[in-house]
Every structure is written in structure tokens, then in C-alpha cells.
Amino acid sequence: MGWSVSDIPDQTGRTVVVTGANSGLGAETAKALAGAGAQVILACRNTEKADRVATEIGAAATVAHLDLAHLDSVRAFADEFTGADVLINNAGVMAIPLRRTAQGFEMQIGTNHLGHFALTALVLPKITERVVTLSSMMHQIGRIDLGDLNWEKRRYSRWRAYGDSKMANLMFGKELAARLSAAGSSKVSLIAHPGYAATGLQGHSESFEDVFMNLVNKTPIPQSAAGGALPTLYAATSPDITTGTFYGPTEFFGSRGAPGRSGYSKRADDLALREGLWTVSEKLTGITFDI
């Protein structure tokens, strides 16, 4: 059967931050962690939806406002944040039309990568154990363009932009792991992906693709959001993890099943590109890491 929610070690006494925990993978992740004894902080833009999830969880859950598309909100969250054992960078948007964040970043790279990059930099001193960043199988189509990260020169492609943001998540998680290790830190950085899970992430492209994806989500092809959350939960709780490792489903070409080590595009191991992405991300956000 493989690793499941029942295998989550006792989380009593631990606190975990989950971004985007108001629905989908994030909500399932928070519920499972609380079920294992953790205190969970639901860091969400839509606090009304997050409140409903928190009510379902009970006393173990608290809600905090966090809009990753606005760096002022990221800073405000970090200022109020008192600390946690684990940070799970889960929130994201997928294949949306061209839009921009409050700071003018392309919305997908801005929310999925730059927002989480800034958040992690600001709260890392208050995280005691590990950071888990969510990527996607779609990182395979990502081709990071350091000279045009925000799609100001290229003709916009919503799926390519999504792939870029997910490649950025993978590269960030790996580079953070390398830098923490080089600094002699006991903190670890892991990356996870959900395979193909039916969540509210699909259906926001505002194109004919929404109809197709919503139909597919009603078939047995995708796994549930709870199933898609398993790699994240493994990365966040297992004592057997290795820093810098990418975890995902292990069946049906990585689209579903129990979590384990996941294959990935070796472009994520391009050290010059990873370091370049880190430098550009610090420049764009104006926020640097103290590692």
C-alpha cells in the first residue's frame, strides 16, 4: 500500500504553517497535520474560506492573512509571525491569463515563486526544522528566462508561465537546501508535487481548457486532493527525508499513488541557473536571505 496518512508520526507539540490552506491540497494538508496532533497556521489570502476550514479542524487551527501577490502582505505576515517547526509553501495559481501582482510581477511567477521566496527569506530565522515547497510535474515544460522572468518581452503563454513558476519552485527548494547545508544549518529544504490531483487549482484559465479539465476531474483519472497531499505530508513529517529531495507519487508515471522520490528535469540541477534565479529573485523582491 505504501506510505499513507496513518503513517504520519505524532505531531504533538509541533507547529506548521501551510500557505493556501483554504482549499484543495492545502486544506487537506492542514487537516491531516492537525489530525496527527500539530498546531496549524492557515496562511491565506481568502480568510473567509480559511475560517471555514479552521472551524472544521477545530482548536488546532488558526488563520492568518497572507497575499503572496503583494509583498506588503508578505512582510506584514512575517512581522506578526512568532515561529513554527515547518513552513509549507503550498499556495499557487495555474495557467491563468496574463495578470500582474501588486509589484508588477507576472502573476504566476509572482505568486508561486517570488511570493514564497520572499516569505521564506523573512520567516526562515523563525522556522526550526524544515521548509517544504510545492512544485508540479509541469515543471518539465519550464524554461527559466532570467532576462524576462516577468514576461515583459516574450509573448505570454499561460502554460509555459506556469511551468516556469513550478521549475522556479523546484530550483528554489534545491538551492535553499544547498545553501543551508553549506552554512552548517540543521534546517532542511524539501520539494514535493501532488501528481495529478483534482483540486480547485484547475479551471481558471478562462479558456475552453477549463471545460475539459473540469470534465477530467470528474473521472477516475485524477486522484483526490487528499491523495495529492501525501507527498507534501511525507516531506513535512517523515524522519527519513533527505534535504534537497523532490518527493511525489510513485505510481502511473508519478501521477498518483504513495509518495516517494520523484524524477525531475535535470535542468533543475543547473547550478549557474539556480544561482542566477536566486540573485534575480532577491533583486526583484528586494529581500535577501540571511543564511
Side-chain angles (χ1 to χ4, degrees), residues 34-48:
Q39 293 292 314
V40 290
I41 299 172
L42 284 56
C44 306
R45 179 182 59 82
N46 190 327
T47 54
E48 184 177 340

Side-chain angles (χ1 to χ4, degrees), residues 191-213:
I191 315 95
H193 78 86
Y196 185 8
T199 71
L201 192 62
Q202 294 100 353
H204 297 285
S205 71
E206 298 182 17
S207 72
F208 72 91
E209 295 167 351
D210 290 349
V211 177
F212 174 74
M213 286 189 290

Side-chain angles (χ1 to χ4, degrees), residues 11 13 17-18 28 34-35 83 94 98 107 115 117 142 148 170 174 179 194 203 210 232 235:
Q11 299 296 293
V17 181
V18 186
E28 295 299 330
M94 183 176 78
L98 179 59
M107 185 63 75
F117 180 91
D148 190 27
L170 178 55
K174 284 184 160 293
R179 293 185 181 221
D210 290 349
T232 302

Side-chain angles (χ1 to χ4, degrees), residues 135-216:
S135 181
S136 162
M137 292 190 296
M138 292 297 288
H139 82 275
Q140 295 277 1
I141 68 171
R143 300 288 190 280
I144 299 295
D145 185 338
L146 295 178
D148 190 27
L149 202 63
N150 284 307
W151 294 83
E152 294 166 329
K153 304 170 185 175
R154 294 170 288 169
R155 180 179 179 183
Y156 184 69
S157 166
R158 67 190 72 195
W159 281 107
R160 168 66 189 280
Y162 179 67
D164 285 1
S165 74
K166 294 289 103 178
M167 174 58 85
N169 287 146
L170 178 55
M171 286 185 162
F172 166 61
K174 284 184 160 293
E175 185 64 18
L176 178 60
R179 293 185 181 221
L180 287 169
S181 295
S185 174
S186 63
K187 300 176 187 180
V188 296
S189 169
L190 300 312
I191 315 95
H193 78 86
Y196 185 8
T199 71
L201 192 62
Q202 294 100 353
H204 297 285
S205 71
E206 298 182 17
S207 72
F208 72 91
E209 295 167 351
D210 290 349
V211 177
F212 174 74
M213 286 189 290
N214 287 329
L215 286 173
V216 172

Side-chain angles (χ1 to χ4, degrees), residues 12 42 44 63 73 95 161 182 202 237 241 259 272 282 286:
T12 301
L42 284 56
C44 306
V63 174
S73 175
Q202 294 100 353
T237 66
I241 51 83
E282 287 190 331

